[in-house]
Amino acid sequence: MCIRDSISTSKSIYTPKKFTAGFAIGLTQMVYSVKHSPDFTEKYFPYYSYPFKPDSVRIVDINHKYYPGILIGFSGCLSLNKRNDLRLQPSIKFGDLILDYRIETQNPDNLKQATVRLYSQPLFLEFPVYLTHKQQISSKHKMSFTIGPKYSYNIISEHRKKEKTDNGTVLKLYPHELQLGVGVGAQFFKNHFRLGVELLYSHGFKNIFVKSHEIFPTEINEIYSRNISLVFTFD
């Protein structure tokens, strides 16, 4: 969140500033929308991995696991007028996406179940451009409303890596993505700095899933990113 005003250390009077800069840190939850084949629980596949002997297996269910990540970046703000700012907040963000497939054998006389893990550990460079509208609440508090596009680049892109590792099957994702972000927050003015707290939601529009020849990734049709972040800014 950006601010056009700063506070004088002697009298706590706001003095206008055209440009402010600071840093941002936050927690983020990368929630992905995964669309599977509609009949994936009815299909049987040849499978030859431990603990199974050569047999056919089917997917029983899929468990999505999401772990919170961390966002760290810089914040720069250009004041457009008394109520509106243009904010740039380049940042780095990381987290995990894990899909656990529970599978069972087709042979009822030798029924076994196991879990196959698909995972991705992306590391994003993000370049959002936000328009922020501010509403005065009191002399030291403001509400803010944010909207704008965000370009995201996955530095550790798996779309060219090998598909199998010791930890499981790699879930391959395209590195480039464009999202729309919206948010609401508050600004608190102190004598020496301004603290901003903002809840941001970003919505990806591009399918970032890379088709694979592995058995279980073939049952995924599309993956879209949905991110929720709680961001603290200091100017």
Side-chain angles (χ1 to χ4, degrees), residues 130-156:
Y130 292 139
L131 179 65
T132 300
H133 176 76
K134 301 171 296 182
Q135 184 67 43
Q136 190 78 43
I137 302 299
S138 69
S139 61
K140 292 188 178 182
H141 302 87
K142 289 184 178 181
M143 290 290 294
S144 66
F145 305 92
T146 297
I147 189 170
K150 178 174 68 175
Y151 168 72
S152 180
Y153 176 71
N154 185 2
I155 301 175
I156 309 178

Side-chain angles (χ1 to χ4, degrees), residues 27-75:
L27 296 175
T28 181
Q29 182 72 69
M30 291 185 283
V31 180
Y32 292 87
S33 174
V34 183
K35 298 183 178 180
H36 301 87
S37 301
D39 57 346
F40 71 89
T41 59
E42 302 175 4
K43 295 180 180 179
Y44 281 89
F45 312 91
Y47 197 70
Y48 307 100
S49 180
Y50 180 84
F52 301 107
K53 296 180 179 179
D55 200 349
S56 293
V57 300
R58 74 178 184 93
I59 301 171
V60 179
D61 62 27
I62 303 171
N63 183 21
H64 298 193
K65 293 186 177 181
Y66 305 108
Y67 298 95
I70 298 176
L71 179 148
I72 302 173
F74 297 96
S75 179

